[in-house]
Amino acid sequence: MTLSKKTEAGVRGRFAPSPSGRMHLGNAAAALLSWLSVRSRQGTFVLRMEDLDPQRSHKSFASQILDDLDWLGLRWDEGPDKPGPCGPYRQSERAALYRQQLNRLKEQGLIYPCFCSRADLHSAEAPHGTDGELRYGGRCRHLTEGQRNQLEQQRPAALRVMTDERLICFEDGLQGRFCRRLSEQCGDFIVCRSDGVVAYQLAVVVDDALMGINEVVRGGDLLSSTPRQIYLYQQLGFKPPRFVHIPLLVNAQGQRLSKRDHALDLGELRQRYTARELLGHLAALLGMIEQPAPVSAEELIPLFDWNRIRRQVCTVPDSL
Ligand code: GLU
């Protein structure tokens, strides 16, 4: 990136892990690149714990993530254990902020209750949108007041935000221009689940906006969520950050790494490698250095350049 030093100052990046399992190599790659992008420009690195879902989040995973980041040498300036001006830094403590922004969407008449069950949504006639996602056909959008009152007696409602025909485009730092029409991709989407938990799509926008995050570096699996998030930025009147979606890491069989691949989670990797060795492998995998060689996170700062980072899928060798 050829930004002048002046515009480079003041970058606020973040790493936003979900404590639903041990970090894996892909999470470490996102954390490393986000951290390097910030540190190479003297910015601020924020750690936000995305423990939004009480059923899937565990405190032990959250503390493990902090410990794994620390082991990698990726230190943060603000985070759950480091109070800063934009706290709290755990989503579980930010419910009131999400409510406020949800109310702003309600005031614009953009929110409606949805009573569709999982079975309704996955029924044979459920249409598929772009990216193979289920597209919500808008069944509950046009319910009358009477129908809503009646359904409310039967089951709790989720809340959806109305989408429209507009084409949403953004310039991704690694993937280039990406455009979607939400009406075709996913239709009206959920911003609050029927159990009252705010949906990731809304929480992440509220958090990044209120925490002043101006650069989001994260896994390529979230690329297709970004138009939904930009739509929310637009409706709430916030300025979207610069987005950089890093390539997905796949195993030698071409499958996406997941939290179930324990062989590549930090628990396993920490037994086999020192932090310097693991960072060397990661840096080589991502295109930062030619061959894996032990290196610290600090030593990678002067070598960091987005132009050298791989844009496509990265295959993790079986030997790792
Ligand atoms: N919490 C999400 C995850 O761990 C990442 C969300 C984001 O970076 O926007 O997959």
Side-chain angles (χ1 to χ4, degrees), residues 135-136 163-166 181-188:
R135 182 167 61 79
Y136 185 62
T163 55
D164 55 31
E165 305 293 316
R166 84 185 69 166
R181 239 179 259 288
L182 297 181
S183 54
E184 291 166 5
Q185 187 195 5
C186 56
D188 300 340

Side-chain angles (χ1 to χ4, degrees), residues 108-143:
Q108 296 175 57
L110 288 170
I111 301 294
Y112 65 88
C114 174
F115 302 92
C116 291
S117 65
R118 204 173 276 265
D120 293 333
L121 298 174
H122 291 268
S123 69
E125 64 279 25
H128 283 266
T130 35
D131 307 317
E133 274 183 68
L134 281 185
R135 182 167 61 79
Y136 185 62
R139 192 164 153 199
C140 291
R141 200 202 250 225
H142 308 289
L143 294 176

Side-chain angles (χ1 to χ4, degrees), residues 9-317:
V11 60
R12 280 179 68 85
R14 49 67 153 186
F15 179 56
S18 304
S20 58
R22 190 83 190 240
M23 265 172 70
H24 60 69
L25 200 62
N27 303 130
L32 175 64
L33 290 177
S34 182
W35 184 87
L36 284 172
S37 185
V38 163
R39 289 287 177 254
S40 61
R41 290 177 289 162
Q42 292 80 45
T44 305
F45 190 59
V46 176
L47 177 64
R48 180 174 70 239
M49 203 45 74
E50 299 216 322
D51 55 355
L52 195 59
D53 186 338
Q55 268 138 38
R56 299 185 57 220
S57 306
H58 295 284
K59 283 213 164 72
S60 58
F61 287 131
S63 41
Q64 197 73 71
I65 290 170
L66 264 53
D67 189 65
D68 287 339
L69 289 171
D70 197 56
W71 180 80
L72 286 164
L74 306 177
R75 311 260 145 68
W76 50 98
D77 306 303
E78 299 168 26
D81 59 341
K82 274 208 168 175
C86 305
Y89 295 93
R90 282 186 198 92
Q91 287 190 326
S92 55
E93 294 169 13
R94 299 176 63 81
L97 297 167
Y98 306 140
R99 289 281 141 202
Q100 265 170 21
Q101 300 303 324
L102 187 58
N103 284 338
R104 293 184 57 217
L105 295 172
K106 279 186 186 161
E107 283 157 18
Q108 296 175 57
L110 288 170
I111 301 294
Y112 65 88
C114 174
F115 302 92
C116 291
S117 65
R118 204 173 276 265
D120 293 333
L121 298 174
H122 291 268
S123 69
E125 64 279 25
H128 283 266
T130 35
D131 307 317
E133 274 183 68
L134 281 185
R135 182 167 61 79
Y136 185 62
R139 192 164 153 199
C140 291
R141 200 202 250 225
H142 308 289
L143 294 176
T144 63
E145 203 55 39
Q147 288 169 317
R148 277 186 187 156
N149 291 340
Q150 207 184 359
L151 284 163
E152 252 158 32
Q153 316 291 322
Q154 294 165 17
R155 57 171 90 140
L159 299 177
R160 287 186 188 268
V161 62
M162 288 184 198
T163 55
D164 55 31
E165 305 293 316
R166 84 185 69 166
L167 186 66
I168 297 177
C169 292
F170 70 101
E171 206 55 44
D172 187 89
L174 278 181
Q175 309 304 327
R177 194 169 171 79
F178 189 83
C179 297
R180 286 291 180 271
R181 239 179 259 288
L182 297 181
S183 54
E184 291 166 5
Q185 187 195 5
C186 56
D188 300 340
F189 61 92
I190 291 187
V191 285
C192 185
R193 300 187 334 196
S194 61
D195 61 3
V197 176
V198 166
Y200 157 71
Q201 306 289 0
L202 177 61
V204 75
V205 168
V206 173
D207 289 342
D208 284 334
L210 299 186
M211 292 182 178
I213 300 299
N214 49 22
E215 183 181 79
V216 167
V217 177
R218 61 186 179 189
D221 52 332
L222 290 166
L223 181 65
S224 68
S225 284
T226 307
R228 259 167 281 193
Q229 294 170 15
I230 291 178
Y231 175 74
L232 293 175
Y233 276 97
Q234 291 174 349
Q235 299 304 337
L236 291 167
F238 296 133
K239 186 172 181 280
R242 181 175 110 91
F243 288 99
V244 189
H245 289 89
I246 68 166
L248 284 183
L249 303 190
V250 297
N251 61 24
Q253 288 73 46
Q255 295 154 335
R256 216 180 107 183
L257 299 191
S258 79
K259 285 190 175 154
R260 288 179 293 273
D261 271 314
H262 290 298
L264 291 173
D265 77 21
L266 271 275
E268 285 291 319
L269 292 168
R270 280 177 67 165
Q271 290 186 12
R272 278 186 272 147
Y273 300 105
T274 63
R276 290 174 59 88
E277 284 166 349
L278 185 63
L279 284 165
H281 281 291
L282 211 44
L285 199 62
L286 294 166
M288 264 180 278
I289 53 177
E290 300 288 327
Q291 293 295 327
V295 66
S296 70
E298 291 285 335
E299 285 160 3
L300 285 170
I301 299 173
L303 303 178
F304 177 73
D305 176 356
W306 279 118
N307 292 315
R308 298 183 61 169
I309 303 298
R310 290 221 169 86
R311 283 148 206 263
Q312 307 302 328
V313 167
C314 295
T315 305
V316 181

